[in-house]
Amino acid sequence: MQLAAMSCRVLLVVVFTVAVVSKLRSAESFGAFVRSVQGFAVLSPRRGRAVARLVTGAEVAGIVLLLLPGPVAIVGFALVGCMLGAFTLAIGASLRRGVRVPCRCFGASTSSAGPRHLVRNGFLIAVAVTGAVGTSHGLPEVPGGLAVAVGTGLVLGVVVTVLDDISESLRDSFPAAVRKGQR
């Protein structure tokens, strides 16, 4: 379980680091994120900006906590798990209202939040829970195992952050008739 916890920690640090960097890389990027938050939560521009700042600050706090040893990392897992739960609820609520808002989780993506984002967040919540449980047992002592755990977390973290791009590429690779279920 210890190796799994390390993989979970690395995966979530990668995901949240990419999310923070993509939002803060420019005023334009942060503005796009603010508009996305406003669309999900139906907020005024002022409140949308405040919520966007709060989310970004909480993401940074989650990264820092996950990088710290032992019990502090468990708090990091809890924080990112709760944030992911809130993100999932916001996406679900917007889908129920019929509102299609671009998911700016990792920056410039223009794809609308949808069911795949709910699945992705469910996966990441499971990762956070697994990491919290595994962290209570301490760090692994096998150097080779640690390398595999870190490598696995890195690879999965990158895959999660480019999932929208992969999905769009696959969707664009097939004719429209196939995408609509016609053969």
Side-chain angles (χ1 to χ4, degrees), residues 118-159:
L118 297 174
V119 171
R120 178 199 62 203
N121 287 357
F123 167 74
L124 291 173
I125 290 168
V127 167
V129 169
T130 301
V133 170
T135 297
S136 65
H137 298 291
L139 291 175
E141 296 181 20
V142 181
L146 181 60
V148 169
V150 170
T152 301
L154 285 171
V155 169
L156 289 175
V158 169
V159 169

Side-chain angles (χ1 to χ4, degrees), residues 30 34 37 43-56:
F30 190 73
V34 169
V37 167
L43 297 171
S44 68
R46 192 175 116 214
R47 286 195 176 152
R49 184 167 294 282
V51 169
R53 286 182 179 144
L54 178 66
V55 165
T56 306

Side-chain angles (χ1 to χ4, degrees), residues 13-174:
V13 166
V14 167
V15 165
F16 280 90
T17 299
V18 169
V20 168
V21 169
S22 71
K23 292 172 183 110
L24 298 180
R25 70 176 173 230
S26 70
E28 183 178 310
S29 296
F30 190 73
F33 176 60
V34 169
R35 288 185 297 280
S36 177
V37 167
Q38 291 167 336
F40 279 115
V42 192
L43 297 171
S44 68
R46 192 175 116 214
R47 286 195 176 152
R49 184 167 294 282
V51 169
R53 286 182 179 144
L54 178 66
V55 165
T56 306
E59 289 174 337
V60 170
I63 294 165
V64 170
L65 291 169
L66 286 170
L67 291 174
L68 296 174
V72 178
I74 295 171
V75 175
F77 281 117
L79 176 60
V80 300
C82 288
M83 283 189 298
L84 288 160
F87 301 159
T88 302
L89 290 173
I91 292 169
S94 72
L95 291 174
R96 277 193 307 276
R97 288 190 325 265
V99 176
R100 302 294 288 186
V101 179
C103 179
R104 299 288 183 169
C105 307
F106 305 114
S109 176
T110 57
S111 78
S112 294
R116 77 174 174 264
H117 296 93
L118 297 174
V119 171
R120 178 199 62 203
N121 287 357
F123 167 74
L124 291 173
I125 290 168
V127 167
V129 169
T130 301
V133 170
T135 297
S136 65
H137 298 291
L139 291 175
E141 296 181 20
V142 181
L146 181 60
V148 169
V150 170
T152 301
L154 285 171
V155 169
L156 289 175
V158 169
V159 169
V160 167
T161 61
V162 297
L163 194 58
D164 280 346
D165 296 330
I166 293 169
S167 177
E168 291 294 317
S169 294
L170 290 173
R171 186 185 61 105
D172 292 343
S173 297
F174 296 100

Side-chain angles (χ1 to χ4, degrees), residues 2-4 6-8 10 140 144-154:
Q2 298 163 345
L3 293 176
M6 181 55 68
S7 289
C8 293
V10 172
L146 181 60
V148 169
V150 170
T152 301
L154 285 171

